Amino acid sequence: MAASRPPRFDATADEVARVAAAAPDWAALAEVNRPCVACPELAATRQHVVVGDVPAGGRPRFVLVGEAPGATEDETGRPFVGKSGALLDQLLGEAGLSRAEAAVLNIVKCRPPGNRTPKAPEVARCSGWLRRQLELLDPPVVVALGLSSAKWFLGPRTVLAQVRARPHDVDGRAVWATYHPSAAIRFGPKGAPRAGLLADLTAVAGTLA
């Protein structure tokens, strides 16, 4: 069974979701995701669709979900490979986790111009890709990095300070919402976001042990 054709220019969220749902496996999903042009502004300015990284060995122990690619991610086509990614890798190691065991995804697969926050229609259009990724990967634990990701899983009224530091059951998965590594960088090595992110990753590691 082959994947469907990529979504057409300015496709609706429902159309994108139908294309994504028809992909039978990760390879087929990635193939049909990369040429997506459903979001005209993003398609016009991006270099790569950043589909995401998955473990070589199959099902991930956990999934990390950020907001959207940045400049380095757009250049390379891989998620979390810039400064935020370097800090994330460091904190994962300090928490006793390995990126090699994780899938690393974003709620929006294309870099927004100027690294702006993704617009609601962009998130809606791109949601079908992430939903299908989670279905195919079937992770027991998801770590939502940053408020945009936390809202995707827990709802638009989510307040990060009120939901972090504990798991939330979402579609049978434990979802942990925590700070984005970029916030940890912005507030410095002694700032609350870095300490909170490390604490949350350490708590997640405890549930996976």
Side-chain angles (χ1 to χ4, degrees):
M1 177 181 176
S4 304
R5 292 181 179 179
R8 63 179 176 81
F9 184 77
D10 206 16
T12 66
D14 286 344
E15 289 174 301
V16 176
R18 283 195 294 271
V19 172
D25 54 36
W26 181 269
L29 183 67
E31 182 179 354
V32 78
N33 189 179
R34 289 190 184 100
C36 180
V37 291
C39 299
E41 184 180 3
L42 301 190
T45 57
R46 72 169 187 235
Q47 295 185 57
H48 292 95
V49 172
V50 182
V51 177
D53 284 351
V54 293
R59 186 187 186 198
R61 290 185 73 205
F62 61 102
V63 169
L64 300 160
V65 182
E67 179 181 84
T72 307
E73 290 76 15
D74 185 45
E75 291 172 4
T76 62
R78 294 191 56 221
F80 282 96
V81 292
K83 291 182 179 179
S84 290
L87 179 59
L88 178 61
D89 289 351
Q90 177 186 334
L91 296 181
L92 285 169
E94 291 179 15
L97 297 170
S98 170
R99 178 166 172 157
E101 300 175 304
V104 187
L105 313 171
N106 281 302
I107 58 172
V108 171
K109 311 302 185 188
C110 298
R111 182 195 183 198
N115 285 352
R116 64 162 171 74
T117 300
K119 299 175 182 177
E122 294 164 351
V123 173
R125 284 191 182 106
C126 221
S127 287
W129 299 121
L130 181 55
R131 288 195 193 97
R132 185 58 177 151
Q133 288 178 326
L134 294 173
E135 288 173 358
L136 290 170
L137 296 171
D138 192 24
V141 174
V142 174
V143 181
L145 298 168
L147 183 59
S148 292
S149 183
K151 286 181 175 180
W152 194 91
F153 286 98
L154 303 178
R157 296 186 179 180
T158 296
V159 177
L160 194 56
Q162 296 175 358
V163 298
R164 59 164 294 267
R166 67 185 189 277
H168 303 263
D169 187 288
V170 180
D171 297 328
R173 299 184 183 93
V175 174
W176 294 73
T178 188
Y179 296 104
H180 194 282
S182 64
I185 292 172
R186 189 162 61 249
F187 285 89
K190 295 185 179 180
R194 178 169 175 153
L197 175 54
L198 177 56
D200 291 338
L201 291 175
T202 302
V204 168
T207 70
L208 295 172

